[in-house]
Amino acid sequence: MARVGADMDLLRFATAGSVDDGKSTLIGRLLLDSKSIFEDQLASVEATSASKGYDYTDLALLTDGLRSEREQGITIDVAYRYFATPKRKFIIADTPGHVQYTRNMVTGASTADLGLVLVDARHGLTEQSRRHAVLLSLLRVPHLVLAVNKMDLVDYDQAVFERIVAEFTAFASKLNIPDLLVVPISALKGDNVVARSEAMGWYEGPSLLHHLEHVHIASDRELRDVRFPVQCVIRPKSDEHHDYRGYAGQVAGGVLKPGDEVMVLPSGMTSTVAGIDLFDEQLGEAYAPMSVVVRLTDDVDVSRGDMICRSKNVPTQTQDVDAMVCWMTTAPLRAGQKLAIKHTTRTARTIVKDVQYRLDVNTLHRDLGADQLGLNEIGRVQLRVTQPLLVDPYERNRTTGSFILIDEATGNTVGAGMING
Amino acid sequence: MSTHADYRLTQLDQLEAESIHIFREVAAELERPVLMCSGGKDSIVMLRLAEKAFHPAKLPFPVLQVDTSFDFPEVLVARDNWVDRLGARLVVASVDEAIRNGVVVDDGKTSRNRLQIGTLLHAIEEGGFTAAFGGGRRDEEKARAKERIYSHRDEFGQWDPKNQRPELWSLYNGRLHAGEHMRVFPLSNWTELDIWHYIARERIEIPSIYFAHERKVIARDGMLLSASDAVQPRAGEMVEERTVRFRTVGDMTLTGCVESQADTLEKIIDEIAVARVTERGATRGDDRFSEAAMEDRKKEGYF
Ligand SMILES: Nc1nc2c(ncn2[C@@H]2O[C@H](COP(=O)(O)OP(=O)(O)OP(=O)(O)O)[C@@H](O)[C@H]2O)c(=O)[nH]1
Ligand SMILES: [Mg+2]
């Protein structure tokens, strides 16, 4: 196994694509060929494959860890796997392709820096691969890889690859995809996964792993607008720290420094940063995604749900939210419905004012006649919230631009929202 | 904390920030959290992260330990030192007492490990806890790899792996009905190696049994078990003195050790970095019963 340091960089990526396109197999292959699989894990999947009478070791078993997944040979929920090379540490979310489990795919993709869409070379793009590409673009996953898999089953034919790439690029041109790599692979045989394939001399790009190790993620950070949602107030109430009062949170954007003039929202009170603490250290600056405690020079009223920003650069304060919503439960989303909404550290109630349109994931056509969103559907929705939220467009900030919707009766998370600019 | 000119955080700092965020969310949103602490390396790292999350205030929740009465004494010492230093409240749930009170039934066939489940669920109910922090990591085991950070448990303490709530971004949903609780795993995204790098970086005190030492052991089922009152040689088995260390700590009857010369943190990190067997595969009898042993125990309410 590669020697891995504590001070390396982190890339989170998520798989996507239709059922059986080979996502789990690819992750298994990547782990195996990068020597990140332990002997007991490999022995266990070899034994299971043999007992099921398979001709070869089913690498998908390395991530399909639930009993029902192994029985059915499909992925039901996201599996998180970890590996590192001397270049980077990776957190992989291997997501299910089955349409019924789309919400689990969205779970895995929401935090990803890179989305890896697999397509079966024999079948080309399917409705589900399009849906996943749309979701990745709506979730603003900044980097995308299209891996045309099972090239071994089409004789490593360049023409097949080019046809799928052309089809995908035509579709993707209507989406927001800042960075795209296309790569022909065989997850089962390992072609172009860790090393360049000899069977596909016509392909001149990097292997998948090489790309994952080198894709440039530093500039994805949000450093312009200071956003500090307050999680809780730290008041020790001890003799030693009698007067200590700090605001704990995770920086959602920008760079905050002691001495900065700040404004606390929604109150609009202004103050100055007296100090930024991380345990017993006093920091010279804080930026996303650091978890710190901010102290202010004035005794202003600050509590959970408030946001600390720079006075001249504040988010929009509003009770009317216009967002793209991905709906994740069987009972449809309709105008008039009441839900709970969680946005940064603030939870409130909301009523659905209007379902403006539903997005057809195949054609990207906006169905303006739609008045509801069914399970796994995506559409543009207007909400009215009981309290003002402090929002930015999702395209500007993935933290202050996102929210979840919760069904108050069941307590379940039923929707994911991305605020429009 | 090492900050960079290009405003990047190292992966260890990102993991730390994520865990601290989780502790604070739970403390702010759930009424009565408790931190489950075995005294092993993961729970001690959790204590450290919780300490950082609320410093200079004390932990806003108590620490819960399930006492199997087969716990390693060195582990209890480390736990007590931590709890004392943090000034935290310790709640001990004893398996023996649960047996005496009829909370769980010791039929002579059920392992201590399984009896812990009923004991733990009883302690959670008794204490009225609505959230229990656990030190589980997703890299440990294939069922854990599937679990959410906020893992919802029904009135019976059961996990339903086929019906988990979506968990998007870092927006955690802590809604509960009466009688339900949440298991929360702040170390979900840490690997075994990350834990050791962090212990070294933060100079965290951990139980001495993680470092190589001489110990009387019995080889059984491909594992080296520590010889003690609870683990005695069976016919044909021998007690031998070997230089060993532990990679995980559970109860003494099920946790094996590995032969190792690693007696410093640096040597342990070197050893883990080239390890070819997972920590649970190497040393945990409880995972060996069946392919889905962990999933089955988790469904019943295990850690
Ligand atoms: N010949 C060939 N077969 C492959 C390749 N990749 C995957 N397969 C096979 O395709 C089948 C499905 O693979 P999985 O990895 O389970 O597919 P998946 O995309 O993870 O499926 P879901 O997670 O259920 O959506 C398995 O039988 C694999 O062995 C490949 O490159 N070549
Ligand atoms: Mg799969």
Side-chain angles (χ1 to χ4, degrees), chain A residues 1-10 12 35 37-41 44 48 63-70 72 75-80 82 89 91 103-104 106-107 110-111 139 217-218 221 223 231-232 234-236 241 244 248-250 255 257 278-281 283 285 287 289-293 304 328 340 342-345 347 394 398 402-404 406 408-413 416-418, chain B residues 1-4 6-18 20-25 27-29 48 51-58 85 138-140 142-143 145-148 150 159 161-177 180 188-194 197 202 247 269-270 272-282 290-293 295-296 299:
Chain A
M1 190 194 233
R3 296 307 307 275
V4 178
D7 51 359
M8 54 197 339
D9 193 67
L10 180 64
R12 296 181 195 242
K35 308 220 170 2
I37 291 298
F38 295 93
E39 282 162 11
D40 50 319
Q41 293 171 324
S44 144
T48 307
T63 60
D64 289 339
L66 298 177
R67 194 194 287 279
S68 21
E69 294 179 323
R70 296 158 94 83
Q72 298 172 50
T75 306
I76 292 172
D77 211 331
V78 201
Y80 292 92
Y82 305 82
K89 175 177 167 181
I91 299 183
R103 59 183 188 188
N104 297 335
V106 176
T107 290
S110 66
T111 50
L139 287 164
I217 50 174
R221 306 277 135 164
L223 295 170
Q231 283 186 280
C232 50
I234 307 281
R235 291 234 49 187
H241 301 284
Y244 190 96
Q250 185 167 27
V255 182
K257 295 190 177 78
L278 173 57
F279 192 46
D280 53 3
E281 279 176 87
L283 306 180
E285 57 189 0
Y287 47 88
M290 288 164 65
S291 282
V292 296
V293 176
R304 176 171 171 84
M328 303 189 290
K342 184 170 181 186
H343 170 264
T344 67
T345 55
T347 303
Y394 185 76
R398 279 171 92 179
S402 57
F403 60 84
I404 55 171
I406 298 167
E408 293 182 291
T410 62
N412 285 335
T413 305
M418 289 141 280
Chain B
M1 164 93 21
S2 41
T3 57
H4 297 281
D6 62 352
Y7 299 107
R8 301 241 347 120
L9 278 191
T10 67
Q11 66 104 3
L12 206 56
D13 286 329
Q14 289 190 50
L15 292 173
E16 179 188 67
E18 177 181 83
I20 290 176
H21 172 81
I22 294 164
F23 274 113
R24 291 170 175 169
E25 277 303 284
E29 288 203 312
R48 171 59 154 204
E51 180 185 18
K52 285 199 172 191
F54 304 102
H55 180 87
K58 284 190 184 157
R85 199 175 60 68
R138 287 168 174 160
D139 80 323
E140 270 180 274
K142 58 185 181 301
K146 293 271 165 183
E147 195 164 6
R148 300 280 189 262
Y150 272 41
W159 179 51
K162 283 187 75 178
N163 206 8
Q164 300 191 83
R165 287 180 180 170
E167 190 165 78
L168 291 109
W169 300 290
S170 47
L171 289 171
Y172 302 106
N173 174 359
R175 296 263 164 155
L176 295 173
H177 290 112
E180 299 175 345
S188 288
N189 287 323
W190 296 59
T191 64
E192 185 185 12
L193 194 54
D194 295 327
H197 276 302
E202 304 280 312
R247 274 177 81 183
I269 289 172
D270 286 347
I272 302 289
V274 296
R276 299 302 313 137
V277 180
T278 62
E279 61 176 58
R280 297 195 78 90
S290 83
E291 203 187 34
E295 179 179 344
D296 294 343
K299 281 183 188 160

Side-chain angles (χ1 to χ4, degrees), chain B residues 78-142:
Chain B
R79 179 208 67 189
D80 288 342
N81 288 346
W82 265 92
V83 168
D84 285 351
R85 199 175 60 68
L86 296 180
R89 186 161 73 84
L90 180 68
V91 180
V92 177
S94 142
V95 174
D96 281 344
E97 207 178 293
I99 294 171
R100 272 200 307 278
N101 297 339
V103 170
V104 294
V105 180
D106 185 9
D107 54 9
K109 289 183 297 235
T110 313
S111 76
R112 283 264 144 180
N113 187 279
R114 270 205 125 80
L115 293 176
Q116 280 183 59
I117 300 177
T119 310
L120 170 68
L121 292 176
H122 181 72
I124 289 177
E125 209 175 305
E126 188 98 307
F129 299 120
T130 51
F133 293 106
R137 310 188 320 264
R138 287 168 174 160
D139 80 323
E140 270 180 274
E141 205 282 331
K142 58 185 181 301

Side-chain angles (χ1 to χ4, degrees), chain A residues 17-26 56-60 63-64 73-76 94-98 118 120 122 149-153 185-190:
Chain A
S18 296
V19 77
D20 280 352
D21 282 353
K23 297 176 289 298
S24 302
T25 307
L26 174 63
Y56 48 83
T57 302
D58 184 0
L59 296 176
T63 60
D64 289 339
I74 60 163
T75 306
I76 292 172
D94 181 33
T95 76
H98 201 291
L118 265 77
D120 185 327
R122 297 168 305 167
N149 187 31
K150 308 198 186 183
M151 289 300 292
D152 56 304
L153 297 180
I185 63 167
S186 167
L188 189 68
K189 310 260 180 270

Side-chain angles (χ1 to χ4, degrees), chain B residues 208-261:
Chain B
S208 56
I209 62 171
Y210 283 111
F211 297 95
H213 58 283
E214 301 278 305
R215 181 175 287 267
K216 291 198 170 54
V217 296
I218 299 167
R220 181 179 298 167
D221 303 333
M223 292 192 301
L224 295 177
L225 295 179
S226 179
S228 67
D229 290 348
V231 183
Q232 308 227 0
R234 295 175 186 160
E237 289 180 344
M238 270 181 357
V239 177
E240 302 163 77
E241 176 112 349
R242 305 252 193 112
T243 307
V244 297
R245 66 175 211 87
F246 287 83
R247 274 177 81 183
T248 67
V249 300
D251 78 69
M252 285 197 278
T253 60
L254 283 166
T255 310
C257 45
V258 291
E259 294 210 75
S260 168
Q261 301 295 327

